[in-house]
Amino acid sequence: MSEYYRGGFLEDTWVYINDDAPVPETGNVIVSLTRWRAGGACFSDLQGQVGVFVEPDDVFHEHTDRLSKLSLVSLSFPKFSDGRGYSQARMLREQLGFEGEIRGRGEILLDQIPLMMRCGIDAFEVCHEPTIAALKSEALPGIMHTYQSPVNDRFGRLRRWRGQIQG
Amino acid sequence: MYRYDEFDQAFVEERCRQFRDQVERRLKGDISEDQFKPLRLQNGLYLQLHAYMLRVAVPYGVLSARQLRKLGEIARRFDRGFGHFTTRQNIQFNWIKLEEAPDILDELARVGMHAIQTSGNCIRNTTTDPFAGVAIDEIEDPRVWAEIIRQWSTIHPEFLFLPRKFKIAITGAAEDRAAIAFHDIGIRIVMGKEGRSEFSIYVGGGQGRTPVVASLIRPFLKKEQLLSYLEAILRVYNLHGRRDNLYKSRIKILVKALGIEEFKRQVDEEWEKLDKPSIDLPIEEYERIAAYFEPVNLQAAPIQNEQVTAREKADPAFAAFKRNNVFAHRVPGHVSVAIALKEPGKIPGDASADQMDAVAELAERFGHDEIRVTYSQNLVLPNIALSDLVAVYDGLVAAGLCSANFELISDIIACPGLDYCNLANARAIPIAQDIAKRFGEQKKAEDIGPLRFNISGCINACGHHHSGNIGILGVDKKGTEHYQITLGGSPGDDASIGSILGPSFPAEDLPEAIETIVAIYLEKRENPKESFLATYRRIGKEPFKDALYNPNALNSGGQSDALEEV
Ligand code: SF4
């Protein structure tokens, strides 16, 4: 993937590295959570940032996963109807204090993106052509009035029951 | 009742625009039916056998006259002149065109209504006691919290793609009239330790192929902590509920697999970590919402009314109506009037556009502008002065809505079945019509007494047959419609799941079988006050089984009871 969506389409500098491939010396890499946990020298020599890709049934370990050392977490949405990533994102933001990029990958469709953003996901690998076209030509279809505090508000400890997303 | 403020109005209008856009993209082919499906489902639009069906939310079953009139107008303009009230206290329109759905939603938005989350794997309409706010056995009005749950769950971004649909019910009365034990989450308002009301929370109840009575997960929860606690339950379910098998994906299966203790531990652990102040409702918001549910200002009046007494003497039909459909109100001299949408021979829960108008008018003139939809697919006018009862009754007679069978055997709960639903094995509506007619004679029906009768067209159990005193399930037996009978279910405080009687019956033999069951009950009850359910619980299913499957044993003094009980 050369482009991803984060407010607009940007060039993607991150590379996914499978568990059986070596970690390169330079560049931003996304590895599996297992590999990150195994850790070791391969990351200390890296000239670049590290991210992890996780599966919907992965659970973060607050004390041992060294999330503050990660710049990116990539959440999987194998099907748009699989909503586990929404919970994972909120837990990352609100309970684990993760402030790096959270991106969604998999079946990412136009109407889900605003919901994902409200859970703290801020970047999207979009493959679905009509979604790409829509994102390039018009504003997000989301709803500006929300009954729940968005995740960013929770960061700021700004209690707001009914809010309006700033457009 | 709750009224939309600017925020709610702006929200729902935005949502209408969004849906219009989604429909356009679907019609243009930008999104496939597969991708459109969850979007339309979250707006209550279902694809049925012959057409689209739109399910409109009636939050916790409360309607104003203006809203009910709008539903009548939609029935006239966009459907075939009818609407169908459901066990979720909602209303369905069965003959909708996709292109017109956005217009219908616009019309609904004008009266503060929508179809959000009436379908799909998300949190559905919260249901409650149809007599909420007026019942004499009420601790506290549950509608305040039902509205709070409505707002909290509306487009909750984390919980729109759950493993499966999710239903919450809440009751605030001593008697549970909301079947909370058969919900994913059931909430009961109870008196807490310090004389403050609190919530008891139940989890993992449900119908479907695996009927389960919910387990108590938390006997006392401070009311102001409700939303964060719900969020903890939903998160554990969202992350760990099964997604590999449609039939194992409800929360009841997760609770069963983990055991209630382990499930509770996981919920508590999650709850501990939640940032409660950002989730729980600020007190000002609570007060703002609660103010809408201040009791209607009614003046106490004499509990006898001459006009009513005279009419009772002169008109047996009115007397029967009063006995069965009129209920005590917390304010003396007032009553709640149940309107049974169960005229024998009609489709259970159906109301014509004219009938909706008629009820709306009665609510406006005599009922302080309030109508309720009940879990049993009927309507209620909760606030009627006894001195207006005759006028209300006459209005109902004129509208063809005066069936005096509320909660009697002919007050049947039935799903749409094979007439509309593409999952059905068998028809439900004609069976309901037939049975209601057989027991249509008032004296006979009243002699039988309260009897919850439910019919589902397939194992998905939308007609809640598991919780019927008599439950009928449509099954497919070598390509023909057959019906299985269950006995002894109950949706209320003493919630229980019915037990299957034996092999199924073809449609033509079913009414006869029901007659036999009722005859056994009448014969075996200790006295006319012993209800069908009480009798069944005392004598068990054997006498009924024998009469149906082994009629000869009956003559030999019921010995088979002893034989089969081993
Ligand atoms: S019980 Fe079955 S037949 Fe009846 S409405 Fe539900 S899915 Fe359809």
Side-chain angles (χ1 to χ4, degrees):
Chain A
M1 166 133 340
S2 58
E3 269 195 330
Y4 74 113
Y5 180 79
R6 186 172 178 157
F9 281 92
L10 306 169
E11 195 186 331
D12 194 357
T13 60
W14 290 85
V15 188
Y16 284 88
I17 308 293
N18 282 334
D19 279 356
D20 47 11
V23 174
E25 283 169 17
T26 57
N28 298 334
V29 298
I30 308 176
V31 297
S32 72
L33 188 58
T34 323
R35 193 163 192 181
W36 170 247
R37 281 177 180 157
C42 57
F43 297 116
S44 51
D45 295 342
L46 179 76
Q47 304 279 309
Q49 305 178 70
V50 186
V52 295
F53 61 90
V54 299
E55 300 307 326
D57 50 5
D58 281 334
V59 178
F60 284 103
H61 301 148
E62 188 175 352
H63 302 294
T64 50
D65 277 342
R66 299 167 295 135
L67 284 169
S68 61
K69 299 268 189 291
L70 291 170
S71 306
L72 179 150
V73 173
S74 165
L75 300 176
S76 166
F77 293 85
K79 278 195 277 181
F80 63 81
S81 55
D82 186 336
R84 288 175 287 182
Y86 295 89
S87 287
Q88 288 176 318
R90 268 191 70 194
M91 291 163 86
L92 275 168
R93 290 291 188 221
E94 293 170 29
Q95 293 172 3
L96 303 167
F98 183 70
E99 295 186 23
E101 177 175 309
I102 301 181
R103 58 165 68 180
R105 68 176 201 281
E107 194 168 14
I108 308 281
L109 302 176
L110 188 61
D111 297 279
Q112 274 85 50
I113 290 176
L115 305 170
M116 291 178 175
M117 288 169 75
R118 288 176 57 203
C119 289
I121 301 173
D122 46 17
F124 306 89
E125 295 172 8
V126 193
C127 310
H128 181 241
E129 282 304 329
T131 297
I132 294 173
L135 286 172
K136 285 188 171 164
S137 67
E138 53 204 274
L140 278 172
I143 291 203
M144 293 295 143
H145 295 76
T146 63
Y147 285 98
Q148 307 78 14
S149 325
V151 156
N152 332 356
D153 273 8
R154 295 172 197 226
F155 265 151
R157 295 281 170 261
L158 211 160
R159 180 207 265 186
R160 198 166 54 173
W161 160 250
R162 288 151 39 117
Q164 209 160 333
I165 293 170
Q166 303 306 314
Chain B
M1 62 184 282
Y2 187 72
R3 307 260 168 204
Y4 275 20
D5 64 4
E6 280 173 23
F7 180 95
D8 301 298
Q9 193 60 36
F11 165 83
V12 84
E13 284 171 12
E14 234 179 6
R15 177 76 176 192
C16 287
R17 283 196 293 277
Q18 183 190 39
F19 184 62
R20 189 175 285 282
D21 171 63
Q22 289 164 352
V23 170
E24 271 166 25
R25 278 187 277 139
R26 173 70 196 115
L27 293 172
K28 270 200 300 197
D30 277 0
I31 43 179
S32 67
E33 171 53 25
D34 242 25
Q35 291 161 340
F36 180 57
K37 191 171 160 195
L39 304 176
R40 70 169 159 77
L41 285 182
Q42 280 176 358
N43 286 289
L45 197 63
Y46 244 105
L47 189 55
Q48 291 198 327
L49 270 184
H50 315 289
Y52 281 97
M53 176 270 276
L54 180 71
R55 187 181 292 151
V56 176
V58 179
Y60 37 94
V62 178
L63 285 169
S64 69
R66 194 164 157 250
Q67 291 174 324
L68 185 56
R69 276 214 179 81
K70 181 60 83 180
L71 296 175
E73 182 193 323
I74 288 169
R76 244 181 232 116
R77 269 181 65 193
F78 300 101
D79 198 296
R80 299 182 174 178
F82 282 88
H84 178 78
F85 289 98
T86 76
T87 55
R88 201 95 222 116
Q89 300 179 315
N90 290 325
I91 184 168
Q92 290 177 187
F93 295 103
N94 282 318
W95 301 96
I96 296 302
K97 297 191 192 74
L98 177 59
E99 310 81 82
E100 290 182 342
D103 295 338
I104 303 176
L105 294 189
D106 282 348
E107 287 299 326
L108 289 170
R110 290 173 178 217
V111 294
M113 295 185 81
H114 57 67
I116 297 169
Q117 288 170 228
T118 55
S119 241
N121 294 337
C122 51
I123 302 170
R124 304 287 190 86
N125 187 24
T126 297
T127 48
T128 190
D129 185 350
F131 297 101
V134 300
I136 42 175
D137 66 339
E138 187 166 275
I139 298 168
E140 210 173 289
D141 191 340
R143 289 174 303 162
V144 179
W145 288 96
E147 172 60 25
I148 289 166
I149 294 169
R150 181 190 76 80
Q151 296 194 18
W152 160 79
S153 61
T154 298
I155 320 290
H156 192 304
E158 184 178 347
F159 304 128
L160 289 170
F161 299 94
L162 296 169
R164 197 83 175 85
K165 59 189 166 186
F166 202 91
K167 299 178 177 180
I168 302 176
I170 178 168
T171 178
E175 182 192 344
D176 173 13
R177 288 175 289 258
I180 63 164
F182 285 107
H183 284 76
D184 296 290
I185 292 179
I187 305 171
R188 177 180 273 262
I189 301 176
V190 292
M191 257 315 152
K193 286 155 260 173
E194 293 140 26
R196 273 180 90 228
S197 55
E198 298 194 13
F199 292 129
S200 288
I201 310 286
Y202 296 78
V203 71
Q207 309 248 357
R209 355 195 122 203
T210 324
V212 185
V213 172
S215 311
L216 182 62
I217 182 167
R218 206 173 175 91
F220 296 102
L221 176 73
K222 288 205 176 64
K223 289 197 299 191
E224 59 273 22
Q225 296 186 317
L226 179 68
L227 297 185
S228 57
Y229 194 71
L230 293 182
E231 219 156 283
I233 294 176
L234 262 301
R235 180 170 292 172
V236 170
Y237 170 56
N238 189 38
L239 286 171
H240 304 298
R242 285 181 64 172
R243 289 172 187 268
D244 58 330
N245 180 338
L246 190 63
Y247 302 115
K248 301 223 155 110
S249 52
R250 294 291 286 266
I251 194 173
K252 62 192 173 189
I253 305 291
L254 178 65
V255 173
K256 271 199 148 179
L258 293 175
I260 184 68
E261 283 312 314
E262 172 59 15
F263 182 77
K264 178 175 161 45
R265 192 195 62 72
Q266 293 190 13
V267 169
D268 285 344
E269 189 180 295
E270 193 54 46
W271 194 41
E272 215 29 64
K273 290 191 219 151
L274 286 177
D275 179 22
K276 298 186 189 66
S278 76
I279 301 166
D280 284 321
L281 187 67
I283 181 78
E284 315 82 66
E285 263 302 296
Y286 169 79
E287 285 168 354
R288 185 186 72 81
I289 293 171
Y292 288 103
F293 297 95
E294 284 295 310
V296 182
N297 192 9
L298 302 173
Q299 299 300 316
I303 53 166
Q304 294 283 341
N305 179 283
E306 275 177 29
Q307 196 198 7
V308 171
T309 318
R311 180 73 177 264
E312 260 181 298
K313 285 214 186 85
D315 179 356
F318 176 80
F321 184 84
K322 183 159 177 291
R323 275 197 303 278
N324 293 298
N325 292 38
V326 175
F327 293 86
H329 192 287
R330 64 181 173 77
V331 181
H334 292 77
V335 290
S336 296
V337 175
I339 304 168
L341 301 176
K342 306 290 170 68
E343 184 87 12
K346 296 268 172 60
I347 297 177
D350 262 21
S352 71
D354 291 346
Q355 288 176 328
M356 289 187 234
D357 283 351
V359 173
E361 184 175 335
L362 291 174
E364 246 161 17
R365 282 178 60 198
F366 305 110
H368 299 266
D369 196 20
E370 219 179 299
I371 302 116
R372 307 284 174 79
V373 184
T374 76
Y375 153 78
S376 53
Q377 305 180 284
N378 295 311
L379 300 177
V380 166
L381 296 171
N383 297 301
I384 300 292
L386 190 60
S387 53
D388 290 331
L389 182 61
V390 169
V392 169
Y393 177 73
D394 287 337
L396 292 174
V397 172
L401 288 170
C402 55
S403 291
N405 59 350
F406 191 70
E407 315 252 278
L408 296 180
I409 185 168
S410 52
D411 181 2
I412 295 173
I413 293 179
C415 79
L418 199 55
D419 291 291
Y420 295 100
C421 176
N422 42 18
L423 301 172
N425 289 323
R427 281 165 297 172
I429 292 170
I431 299 292
Q433 289 169 322
D434 190 11
I435 302 225
K437 265 195 250 160
R438 264 175 203 254
F439 295 97
E441 207 242 312
Q442 191 69 26
K443 202 156 160 285
K444 185 171 165 192
E446 283 192 47
D447 182 35
I448 297 165
L451 199 158
R452 173 102 303 301
F453 197 114
N454 297 48
I455 309 177
S456 304
C458 80
I459 192 67
N460 289 322
C462 304
H464 299 180
H465 64 279
H466 300 296
S467 59
N469 299 165
I470 299 179
I472 305 291
L473 165 66
V475 292
D476 177 275
K477 210 169 179 179
K478 298 193 191 108
T480 62
E481 296 168 62
H482 271 63
Y483 298 88
Q484 198 175 62
I485 302 174
T486 60
L487 294 186
S490 167
D493 293 302
D494 49 357
S496 58
I497 293 161
S499 139
I500 297 170
L501 215 49
S504 58
F505 292 89
E508 59 274 18
D509 295 346
L510 186 66
E512 195 55 44
I514 302 301
E515 297 251 22
T516 306
I517 288 168
V518 171
I520 295 292
Y521 155 64
L522 291 174
E523 181 196 319
K524 301 272 180 182
R525 69 181 175 188
E526 277 183 332
N527 58 62
K529 287 222 146 47
E530 194 184 44
S531 68
F532 178 88
L533 184 63
T535 303
Y536 172 84
R537 284 182 175 167
R538 181 171 54 77
I539 66 176
K541 70 176 171 185
E542 296 311 323
F544 297 98
K545 248 173 103 167
D546 284 345
L548 282 184
Y549 300 108
N550 196 8
N552 296 335
L554 214 58
N555 303 332
S556 60
Q559 277 182 4
S560 63
D561 278 8
L563 286 177
E564 284 189 29
E565 249 161 34
V566 198

mmCIF file of all heavy atoms in Angstrom, chain B residues 191-221:
data_model
loop_
_atom_site.group_PDB
_atom_site.id
_atom_site.type_symbol
_atom_site.label_atom_id
_atom_site.label_comp_id
_atom_site.label_asym_id
_atom_site.label_seq_id
_atom_site.Cartn_x
_atom_site.Cartn_y
_atom_site.Cartn_z
ATOM 1 N N MET B 191 -35.299 -1.383 45.991
ATOM 2 C CA MET B 191 -34.951 -0.512 47.116
ATOM 3 C C MET B 191 -33.600 -0.966 47.667
ATOM 4 O O MET B 191 -33.418 -2.119 48.028
ATOM 5 C CB MET B 191 -36.034 -0.584 48.196
ATOM 6 C CG MET B 191 -36.933 0.632 48.188
ATOM 7 S SD MET B 191 -35.966 2.161 48.036
ATOM 8 C CE MET B 191 -37.158 3.198 47.231
ATOM 9 N N GLY B 192 -32.658 -0.064 47.695
ATOM 10 C CA GLY B 192 -31.317 -0.396 48.156
ATOM 11 C C GLY B 192 -31.216 -0.305 49.659
ATOM 12 O O GLY B 192 -32.200 -0.055 50.354
ATOM 13 N N LYS B 193 -30.004 -0.492 50.129
ATOM 14 C CA LYS B 193 -29.796 -0.605 51.568
ATOM 15 C C LYS B 193 -30.142 0.674 52.314
ATOM 16 O O LYS B 193 -30.727 0.651 53.374
ATOM 17 C CB LYS B 193 -28.347 -1.014 51.846
ATOM 18 C CG LYS B 193 -28.101 -2.474 51.527
ATOM 19 C CD LYS B 193 -26.636 -2.755 51.201
ATOM 20 C CE LYS B 193 -26.416 -2.832 49.700
ATOM 21 N NZ LYS B 193 -25.077 -2.943 49.220
ATOM 22 N N GLU B 194 -29.762 1.785 51.751
ATOM 23 C CA GLU B 194 -29.960 3.026 52.513
ATOM 24 C C GLU B 194 -31.265 3.732 52.139
ATOM 25 O O GLU B 194 -31.351 4.962 52.225
ATOM 26 C CB GLU B 194 -28.769 3.966 52.282
ATOM 27 C CG GLU B 194 -27.478 3.432 52.865
ATOM 28 C CD GLU B 194 -26.295 3.702 51.949
ATOM 29 O OE1 GLU B 194 -26.352 4.670 51.164
ATOM 30 O OE2 GLU B 194 -25.331 2.932 52.019
ATOM 31 N N GLY B 195 -32.226 2.961 51.741
ATOM 32 C CA GLY B 195 -33.499 3.588 51.390
ATOM 33 C C GLY B 195 -33.439 4.341 50.067
ATOM 34 O O GLY B 195 -34.349 5.075 49.712
ATOM 35 N N ARG B 196 -32.330 4.162 49.349
ATOM 36 C CA ARG B 196 -32.211 4.759 48.010
ATOM 37 C C ARG B 196 -32.510 3.671 47.003
ATOM 38 O O ARG B 196 -32.102 2.526 47.196
ATOM 39 C CB ARG B 196 -30.766 5.206 47.763
ATOM 40 C CG ARG B 196 -30.431 6.595 48.237
ATOM 41 C CD ARG B 196 -28.968 6.880 47.929
ATOM 42 N NE ARG B 196 -28.767 7.476 46.600
ATOM 43 C CZ ARG B 196 -27.866 7.051 45.741
ATOM 44 N NH1 ARG B 196 -27.095 6.026 46.008
ATOM 45 N NH2 ARG B 196 -27.734 7.670 44.583
ATOM 46 N N SER B 197 -33.136 4.030 45.914
ATOM 47 C CA SER B 197 -33.363 2.995 44.917
ATOM 48 C C SER B 197 -32.061 2.727 44.163
ATOM 49 O O SER B 197 -31.254 3.632 43.940
ATOM 50 C CB SER B 197 -34.468 3.428 43.955
ATOM 51 O OG SER B 197 -34.151 4.668 43.387
ATOM 52 N N GLU B 198 -31.874 1.467 43.815
ATOM 53 C CA GLU B 198 -30.686 1.064 43.059
ATOM 54 C C GLU B 198 -31.130 0.112 41.950
ATOM 55 O O GLU B 198 -32.314 -0.158 41.786
ATOM 56 C CB GLU B 198 -29.672 0.375 43.979
ATOM 57 C CG GLU B 198 -29.181 1.299 45.084
ATOM 58 C CD GLU B 198 -27.945 0.780 45.803
ATOM 59 O OE1 GLU B 198 -27.309 -0.175 45.309
ATOM 60 O OE2 GLU B 198 -27.627 1.346 46.855
ATOM 61 N N PHE B 199 -30.150 -0.395 41.207
ATOM 62 C CA PHE B 199 -30.479 -1.340 40.143
ATOM 63 C C PHE B 199 -29.988 -2.744 40.490
ATOM 64 O O PHE B 199 -28.881 -2.901 40.997
ATOM 65 C CB PHE B 199 -29.789 -0.944 38.830
ATOM 66 C CG PHE B 199 -30.312 0.320 38.214
ATOM 67 C CD1 PHE B 199 -29.436 1.328 37.830
ATOM 68 C CD2 PHE B 199 -31.666 0.499 37.998
ATOM 69 C CE1 PHE B 199 -29.905 2.495 37.242
ATOM 70 C CE2 PHE B 199 -32.145 1.659 37.409
ATOM 71 C CZ PHE B 199 -31.261 2.660 37.036
ATOM 72 N N SER B 200 -30.808 -3.732 40.190
ATOM 73 C CA SER B 200 -30.309 -5.111 40.123
ATOM 74 C C SER B 200 -30.104 -5.404 38.646
ATOM 75 O O SER B 200 -30.983 -5.133 37.834
ATOM 76 C CB SER B 200 -31.329 -6.107 40.662
ATOM 77 O OG SER B 200 -31.421 -5.992 42.043
ATOM 78 N N ILE B 201 -28.942 -5.961 38.331
ATOM 79 C CA ILE B 201 -28.628 -6.200 36.921
ATOM 80 C C ILE B 201 -28.576 -7.708 36.648
ATOM 81 O O ILE B 201 -27.901 -8.448 37.357
ATOM 82 C CB ILE B 201 -27.255 -5.586 36.547
ATOM 83 C CG1 ILE B 201 -27.155 -4.132 37.010
ATOM 84 C CG2 ILE B 201 -26.995 -5.722 35.055
ATOM 85 C CD1 ILE B 201 -27.944 -3.143 36.214
ATOM 86 N N TYR B 202 -29.298 -8.094 35.616
ATOM 87 C CA TYR B 202 -29.315 -9.494 35.176
ATOM 88 C C TYR B 202 -28.695 -9.563 33.786
ATOM 89 O O TYR B 202 -28.813 -8.614 32.999
ATOM 90 C CB TYR B 202 -30.751 -10.017 35.105
ATOM 91 C CG TYR B 202 -31.435 -10.060 36.451
ATOM 92 C CD1 TYR B 202 -31.951 -8.901 37.028
ATOM 93 C CD2 TYR B 202 -31.544 -11.252 37.154
ATOM 94 C CE1 TYR B 202 -32.566 -8.941 38.278
ATOM 95 C CE2 TYR B 202 -32.155 -11.301 38.392
ATOM 96 C CZ TYR B 202 -32.665 -10.143 38.953
ATOM 97 O OH TYR B 202 -33.269 -10.187 40.180
ATOM 98 N N VAL B 203 -28.067 -10.682 33.483
ATOM 99 C CA VAL B 203 -27.408 -10.751 32.184
ATOM 100 C C VAL B 203 -27.572 -12.141 31.570
ATOM 101 O O VAL B 203 -27.713 -13.136 32.282
ATOM 102 C CB VAL B 203 -25.908 -10.360 32.337
ATOM 103 C CG1 VAL B 203 -25.146 -11.456 33.083
ATOM 104 C CG2 VAL B 203 -25.259 -10.078 30.993
ATOM 105 N N GLY B 204 -27.603 -12.171 30.254
ATOM 106 C CA GLY B 204 -27.537 -13.462 29.550
ATOM 107 C C GLY B 204 -28.849 -14.197 29.404
ATOM 108 O O GLY B 204 -28.857 -15.409 29.233
ATOM 109 N N GLY B 205 -29.961 -13.490 29.459
ATOM 110 C CA GLY B 205 -31.231 -14.155 29.179
ATOM 111 C C GLY B 205 -31.531 -14.070 27.695
ATOM 112 O O GLY B 205 -30.935 -13.273 26.973
ATOM 113 N N GLY B 206 -32.458 -14.901 27.222
ATOM 114 C CA GLY B 206 -32.809 -14.773 25.816
ATOM 115 C C GLY B 206 -33.685 -15.910 25.353
ATOM 116 O O GLY B 206 -33.905 -16.885 26.065
ATOM 117 N N GLN B 207 -34.203 -15.741 24.137
ATOM 118 C CA GLN B 207 -35.073 -16.758 23.571
ATOM 119 C C GLN B 207 -34.292 -17.506 22.496
ATOM 120 O O GLN B 207 -33.262 -18.058 22.783
ATOM 121 C CB GLN B 207 -36.335 -16.078 23.035
ATOM 122 C CG GLN B 207 -36.970 -15.163 24.067
ATOM 123 C CD GLN B 207 -38.323 -15.645 24.573
ATOM 124 O OE1 GLN B 207 -38.846 -16.649 24.133
ATOM 125 N NE2 GLN B 207 -38.900 -14.931 25.513
ATOM 126 N N GLY B 208 -34.771 -17.503 21.260
ATOM 127 C CA GLY B 208 -34.014 -18.165 20.198
ATOM 128 C C GLY B 208 -33.886 -19.665 20.404
ATOM 129 O O GLY B 208 -34.665 -20.262 21.124
ATOM 130 N N ARG B 209 -32.876 -20.267 19.721
ATOM 131 C CA ARG B 209 -32.787 -21.731 19.832
ATOM 132 C C ARG B 209 -32.349 -22.203 21.200
ATOM 133 O O ARG B 209 -32.530 -23.356 21.543
ATOM 134 C CB ARG B 209 -31.796 -22.392 18.872
ATOM 135 C CG ARG B 209 -31.150 -21.565 17.917
ATOM 136 C CD ARG B 209 -30.484 -22.335 16.820
ATOM 137 N NE ARG B 209 -31.105 -21.846 15.623
ATOM 138 C CZ ARG B 209 -31.176 -22.472 14.493
ATOM 139 N NH1 ARG B 209 -30.643 -23.658 14.367
ATOM 140 N NH2 ARG B 209 -31.753 -21.931 13.477
ATOM 141 N N THR B 210 -31.643 -21.341 21.928
ATOM 142 C CA THR B 210 -31.195 -21.732 23.255
ATOM 143 C C THR B 210 -31.830 -20.791 24.256
ATOM 144 O O THR B 210 -31.245 -19.774 24.611
ATOM 145 C CB THR B 210 -29.655 -21.612 23.366
ATOM 146 O OG1 THR B 210 -29.087 -21.978 22.125
ATOM 147 C CG2 THR B 210 -29.114 -22.448 24.470
ATOM 148 N N PRO B 211 -33.036 -21.082 24.708
ATOM 149 C CA PRO B 211 -33.667 -20.159 25.649
ATOM 150 C C PRO B 211 -32.977 -20.223 27.012
ATOM 151 O O PRO B 211 -32.632 -21.302 27.483
ATOM 152 C CB PRO B 211 -35.103 -20.677 25.747
ATOM 153 C CG PRO B 211 -35.033 -22.104 25.338
ATOM 154 C CD PRO B 211 -33.913 -22.216 24.363
ATOM 155 N N VAL B 212 -32.712 -19.067 27.593
ATOM 156 C CA VAL B 212 -32.025 -19.010 28.880
ATOM 157 C C VAL B 212 -32.689 -17.929 29.729
ATOM 158 O O VAL B 212 -33.013 -16.850 29.239
ATOM 159 C CB VAL B 212 -30.526 -18.613 28.707
ATOM 160 C CG1 VAL B 212 -29.804 -18.672 30.044
ATOM 161 C CG2 VAL B 212 -29.826 -19.497 27.692
ATOM 162 N N VAL B 213 -32.864 -18.230 31.014
ATOM 163 C CA VAL B 213 -33.315 -17.215 31.957
ATOM 164 C C VAL B 213 -32.068 -16.496 32.462
ATOM 165 O O VAL B 213 -31.073 -17.129 32.826
ATOM 166 C CB VAL B 213 -34.095 -17.869 33.117
ATOM 167 C CG1 VAL B 213 -34.405 -16.859 34.207
ATOM 168 C CG2 VAL B 213 -35.390 -18.488 32.590
ATOM 169 N N ALA B 214 -32.093 -15.175 32.457
ATOM 170 C CA ALA B 214 -30.899 -14.387 32.785
ATOM 171 C C ALA B 214 -30.408 -14.659 34.205
ATOM 172 O O ALA B 214 -31.182 -15.006 35.092
ATOM 173 C CB ALA B 214 -31.212 -12.902 32.622
ATOM 174 N N SER B 215 -29.088 -14.473 34.418
ATOM 175 C CA SER B 215 -28.499 -14.642 35.749
ATOM 176 C C SER B 215 -28.280 -13.276 36.383
ATOM 177 O O SER B 215 -27.967 -12.303 35.704
ATOM 178 C CB SER B 215 -27.126 -15.316 35.651
ATOM 179 O OG SER B 215 -27.180 -16.457 34.859
ATOM 180 N N LEU B 216 -28.366 -13.259 37.688
ATOM 181 C CA LEU B 216 -28.107 -12.020 38.426
ATOM 182 C C LEU B 216 -26.603 -11.781 38.433
ATOM 183 O O LEU B 216 -25.837 -12.616 38.897
ATOM 184 C CB LEU B 216 -28.631 -12.165 39.853
ATOM 185 C CG LEU B 216 -28.487 -10.941 40.760
ATOM 186 C CD1 LEU B 216 -29.279 -9.766 40.209
ATOM 187 C CD2 LEU B 216 -28.947 -11.276 42.172
ATOM 188 N N ILE B 217 -26.171 -10.656 37.903
ATOM 189 C CA ILE B 217 -24.731 -10.369 37.913
ATOM 190 C C ILE B 217 -24.390 -9.354 38.996
ATOM 191 O O ILE B 217 -23.312 -9.361 39.560
ATOM 192 C CB ILE B 217 -24.212 -9.924 36.518
ATOM 193 C CG1 ILE B 217 -22.711 -9.671 36.539
ATOM 194 C CG2 ILE B 217 -24.960 -8.715 35.979
ATOM 195 C CD1 ILE B 217 -22.087 -9.531 35.173
ATOM 196 N N ARG B 218 -25.331 -8.505 39.329
ATOM 197 C CA ARG B 218 -25.061 -7.503 40.360
ATOM 198 C C ARG B 218 -26.365 -7.138 41.062
ATOM 199 O O ARG B 218 -27.238 -6.526 40.466
ATOM 200 C CB ARG B 218 -24.468 -6.258 39.701
ATOM 201 C CG ARG B 218 -23.622 -5.507 40.657
ATOM 202 C CD ARG B 218 -22.862 -4.368 40.036
ATOM 203 N NE ARG B 218 -22.221 -3.706 41.125
ATOM 204 C CZ ARG B 218 -20.998 -3.995 41.553
ATOM 205 N NH1 ARG B 218 -20.277 -4.889 40.927
ATOM 206 N NH2 ARG B 218 -20.504 -3.363 42.593
ATOM 207 N N PRO B 219 -26.482 -7.539 42.349
ATOM 208 C CA PRO B 219 -27.749 -7.290 43.040
ATOM 209 C C PRO B 219 -28.005 -5.813 43.284
ATOM 210 O O PRO B 219 -29.150 -5.368 43.251
ATOM 211 C CB PRO B 219 -27.616 -8.056 44.358
ATOM 212 C CG PRO B 219 -26.228 -8.548 44.452
ATOM 213 C CD PRO B 219 -25.540 -8.349 43.144
ATOM 214 N N PHE B 220 -26.950 -5.047 43.540
ATOM 215 C CA PHE B 220 -27.134 -3.617 43.787
ATOM 216 C C PHE B 220 -26.103 -2.807 43.022
ATOM 217 O O PHE B 220 -24.909 -3.015 43.171
ATOM 218 C CB PHE B 220 -27.009 -3.295 45.286
ATOM 219 C CG PHE B 220 -28.076 -3.939 46.116
ATOM 220 C CD1 PHE B 220 -27.807 -5.084 46.853
ATOM 221 C CD2 PHE B 220 -29.357 -3.417 46.137
ATOM 222 C CE1 PHE B 220 -28.803 -5.699 47.601
ATOM 223 C CE2 PHE B 220 -30.361 -4.021 46.890
ATOM 224 C CZ PHE B 220 -30.081 -5.162 47.621
ATOM 225 N N LEU B 221 -26.595 -1.918 42.206
ATOM 226 C CA LEU B 221 -25.696 -1.014 41.479
ATOM 227 C C LEU B 221 -26.227 0.397 41.685
ATOM 228 O O LEU B 221 -27.425 0.651 41.517
ATOM 229 C CB LEU B 221 -25.700 -1.358 39.984
ATOM 230 C CG LEU B 221 -24.868 -0.430 39.087
ATOM 231 C CD1 LEU B 221 -23.374 -0.677 39.297
ATOM 232 C CD2 LEU B 221 -25.220 -0.623 37.607
#
